[in-house]
Amino acid sequence: MAQKTIQTDICIIGAGSGGLTLAAGAVQMGASVVLIEKNKMGGDCLNYGCVPSKSLLSVAKHAAIMKNAWHFGIENMDPKVNFSKVHDYVHNVIETIEPHDSVERFEKLGVVVLKAQARFMNTRIIQADNTHIKAKKIVIATGSSPFIPPIEGIATVPYLTNETIFDLKKLPSHMVIIGGGPIGIEMAQAFQRLGSQVTVLEGMKILPKDDPQMAEVVYQRLLTDGVKIIEGAKVLKVSNQSKTIKVMYEKDGETQEISATHLLLAVGRRPTLDKLNLDAAQIKFTPKGIVVDDRLRTSNKHVYAMGDAVGGYQFTHIATHHAEVILRNILFKLPTKVRKNTIPWVTYTDPEIAHVGLTEDTVKSMRLKYKVLRWGFKDIDRAQAEHSAEGGIKVIVSPQGRILGVTVVGVHAGELIQPWILAIEQNLKIGAIAKMMIPYPTLGEINKRGAGSFFTPLLFNERVKKIVRFLLRWC
Ligand SMILES: Cc1cc2nc3c(=O)[nH]c(=O)nc-3n(C[C@H](O)[C@H](O)[C@H](O)COP(=O)(O)OP(=O)(O)OC[C@H]3O[C@@H](n4cnc5c(N)ncnc54)[C@H](O)[C@@H]3O)c2cc1C
């Protein structure tokens, strides 16, 4: 086949959250861009990650509300779940968003999109099918894939991952999920609420990156939903017996066994670097991802890497942040570095758990002086009105009121964390949040009340009382 060569300013490998953001930004700012994607435009987030998982959770939340409507004086209903239609709903959401990430949209913007597997031929040239791309800068945005743990028997059993679970058209009757991180826990709640029996096997504790006291609120809700959670469980072996999958695990020194109809692996991610031929391009990498500096430059000065492919926190908003950093570095030669200490994340269970900044454990390990501020949704009128009073906010502040970290667990925690992200990014002190005028009754009052509690001991004490009484004498 005849070889074709394209010369371009930027060649991006991977059209997921990171690659697409970078391509759209670069082309609209005047660079010529080639974008290479071997699979579906939109990558993990649109097709096998954020979008289908949040759609499924939304369906499951509606089912749970029907089952517990009696709180509002409405009789409970046992929802009849038509799982094939649930599948269609999830895929309709993907299809609705798809045009935004499509080849057509990017070609209209002026990007040259190649649907092919990309590989390095040498330090400067990429091959995609019969096309050679010579670019001033190359960006690797190849994302990550589910990690398949080396459990005995794993190759002999049918298992699901995030790449296949959203294709199910029949509700599993009993699903065992190995892994209690955000992906495993979100799927556990969704499937349990839709009618599956779900068992989570987790080697340590579920949601290990979150504040344990706050994660406990999610844990308790999962138990109420009926999810069986086995923590401290080390999976030893899996096997296939007629129509069931047997999972053998060790807990507290004892070997135990559980049978299920379906097995979901959610034990982490590995960067998708295979077939890239990174050695030919002299790009250093480890099993955790491509090695990059603070500006996302690899060991090859012509090549940058971003998103899940570089390991660390693997979120869509990190991939899009990386795109902004690379744009500034490549197009404007601004030596911009990636942000490290204001990374927010949310697990979209019901209740949600959201975090930004440092956790109490990290602050302790850094031997910093700190105070903990708390406020519960039970004292927020809007939460009471909506029968959503579980959970609350926990704010870690320095004794001088510098905001170090915040966790919210409860209804819409992912939205409520946002002023705190701004506050930490802008180095605002706790008073900035405490002083905000918040419309009543809104859930956002929890932020003001939590922040305001910093000043309670400073305002309501004997010294202030004496001063006030003294001043009132002159009224
Ligand atoms: C179930 C699940 C739920 C999630 N939920 C959330 C969430 O709620 N919020 C959040 O922020 N994050 C979430 N994430 C994480 C989020 O999806 C990822 O962090 C994000 O997609 C990473 O973007 P990326 O651009 O680095 O990679 P991807 O989106 O994975 O894109 C990489 C692309 O590169 C392509 N590619 C790979 N190798 C090659 C090659 N050699 N040649 C050509 N193309 C190639 C792939 O086909 C893919 O399309 C979730 C992930 C999962 C699995």
Side-chain angles (χ1 to χ4, degrees):
M1 210 184 279
Q3 287 290 352
K4 186 174 144 198
T5 301
I6 305 178
Q7 305 258 3
T8 187
D9 293 327
I10 306 176
C11 174
I12 304 165
I13 310 174
S17 313
L20 289 174
T21 309
L22 180 61
V27 81
Q28 291 179 93
M29 288 178 185
S32 58
V33 179
V34 172
L35 176 65
I36 312 171
E37 171 55 54
K38 66 173 181 180
N39 191 6
K40 291 186 181 172
M41 296 290 283
D44 249 22
C45 187
L46 175 63
N47 301 292
Y48 320 106
C50 331
V51 172
S53 60
K54 268 77 258 181
S55 308
L56 194 68
L57 278 165
S58 169
V59 177
K61 189 169 181 182
H62 282 84
I65 291 170
M66 289 171 77
K67 282 187 214 163
N68 286 294
W70 64 273
H71 295 292
F72 303 102
I74 301 168
E75 266 184 42
N76 284 351
M77 272 172 272
D78 207 5
K80 287 194 175 52
V81 176
N82 180 333
F83 201 71
S84 159
K85 294 222 161 108
V86 172
H87 164 278
D88 293 348
Y89 171 78
V90 169
H91 285 268
N92 280 339
V93 177
I94 295 175
E95 276 166 31
T96 310
I97 300 173
E98 227 162 35
H100 187 264
D101 293 357
S102 64
V103 173
E104 295 71 32
R105 174 170 173 250
F106 278 78
E107 285 183 341
K108 254 192 199 159
L109 288 174
V111 175
V112 175
V113 183
L114 303 177
K115 291 301 300 294
Q117 166 104 33
R119 68 189 282 279
F120 282 88
M121 294 187 69
N122 55 39
T123 52
R124 299 293 298 268
I125 299 178
I126 300 287
Q127 180 185 9
D129 282 347
N130 61 336
T131 307
H132 288 178
I133 302 103
K134 195 164 182 218
K136 288 181 187 148
K137 296 287 176 200
I138 297 166
V139 182
I140 303 170
T142 50
S144 64
S145 320
F147 173 67
I148 309 303
I151 298 169
E152 188 184 334
I154 197 74
T156 65
V157 299
Y159 58 78
L160 298 161
T161 67
N162 70 294
E163 290 174 358
T164 49
I165 195 162
F166 303 111
D167 291 336
L168 289 178
K169 288 196 169 167
K170 229 178 128 205
L171 187 71
S173 74
H174 182 188
M175 188 190 300
V176 165
I177 300 179
I178 305 182
I183 296 175
I185 289 304
E186 287 183 358
M187 289 302 97
Q189 186 174 59
F191 277 91
Q192 180 75 36
R193 286 180 160 192
L194 290 170
S196 300
Q197 172 57 57
V198 177
T199 305
V200 177
L201 294 174
E202 163 57 47
M204 295 185 292
K205 287 187 92 52
I206 67 159
L207 301 177
K209 289 201 176 84
D210 283 296
D211 182 294
Q213 290 165 336
M214 305 301 267
E216 179 67 19
V217 178
V218 177
Y219 183 97
Q220 289 304 328
R221 176 65 79 88
L222 291 167
L223 294 189
T224 310
D225 284 337
V227 177
K228 206 169 161 209
I229 301 173
I230 305 172
E231 294 184 324
K234 185 174 177 232
V235 177
L236 303 172
K237 188 177 168 185
V238 290
S239 57
N240 203 357
Q241 288 187 357
S242 63
K243 283 193 172 160
T244 59
I245 300 164
K246 286 202 168 176
V247 182
M248 195 188 276
Y249 63 94
E250 186 191 295
K251 182 172 163 63
D252 302 329
E254 273 183 34
T255 303
Q256 307 191 23
E257 203 172 77
I258 187 168
S259 294
T261 54
H262 291 73
L263 174 66
L264 169 65
L265 299 180
V267 282
R269 317 273 310 159
R270 58 167 194 90
T272 312
L273 307 180
D274 39 309
K275 300 193 188 142
L276 273 174
N277 201 19
L278 293 175
D279 291 334
Q282 292 167 15
I283 295 169
K284 287 192 187 144
F285 62 98
T286 72
K288 289 187 178 162
I290 296 177
V291 178
V292 286
D293 66 9
D294 283 352
R295 290 163 60 182
L296 299 168
R297 294 174 299 187
T298 68
S299 49
N300 173 338
K301 65 177 177 162
H302 303 291
V303 182
Y304 286 70
M306 65 187 303
D308 283 12
V310 300
Y313 289 110
Q314 293 178 316
F315 300 114
T316 287
H317 46 278
I318 299 283
T320 52
H321 169 61
H322 284 177
E324 290 158 16
V325 170
I326 293 179
L327 274 178
R328 286 166 156 260
N329 275 286
I330 295 184
L331 298 189
F332 300 106
K333 312 278 177 236
L334 294 169
T336 310
K337 293 181 180 175
V338 286
R339 227 180 271 162
K340 291 232 166 95
N341 55 358
T342 50
I343 310 289
W345 67 77
V346 183
T347 300
Y348 296 86
T349 40
D350 170 26
E352 293 178 356
I353 178 163
H355 177 81
V356 62
L358 305 174
T359 59
E360 187 176 6
D361 284 348
T362 318
V363 172
K364 264 189 203 157
S365 68
M366 292 165 78
R367 295 175 187 275
L368 297 176
K369 286 197 174 146
Y370 68 96
K371 287 183 177 181
V372 177
L373 312 175
R374 294 176 196 276
W375 204 269
F377 279 105
K378 68 179 176 31
D379 294 320
I380 298 297
D381 296 356
R382 179 65 181 274
Q384 287 295 356
E386 299 202 351
H387 189 72
S388 297
E390 71 188 315
I393 190 168
K394 177 171 172 181
V395 185
I396 312 290
V397 277
S398 73
Q400 295 75 31
R402 196 161 75 83
I403 305 158
L404 302 173
V406 184
T407 303
V408 183
V409 62
V411 60
H412 299 307
E415 318 294 327
L416 295 171
I417 199 77
Q418 300 193 8
W420 296 100
I421 303 172
L422 181 72
I424 294 180
E425 276 174 5
Q426 299 297 317
N427 233 338
L428 301 179
K429 283 190 149 186
I430 193 80
I433 303 274
K435 269 190 248 156
M436 272 201 296
M437 188 190 283
I438 301 286
Y440 173 86
T442 55
L443 296 168
E445 280 180 80
I446 196 152
N447 291 332
K448 186 178 169 75
R449 303 294 289 273
S453 68
F454 179 82
F455 300 99
T456 310
L458 302 174
L459 289 176
F460 305 146
N461 60 40
E462 277 313 310
R463 199 167 147 258
V464 174
K465 276 184 190 162
K466 272 188 198 156
I467 295 170
V468 169
R469 279 189 214 118
F470 176 75
L471 292 173
L472 284 174
R473 280 194 210 158
W474 279 272
C475 283

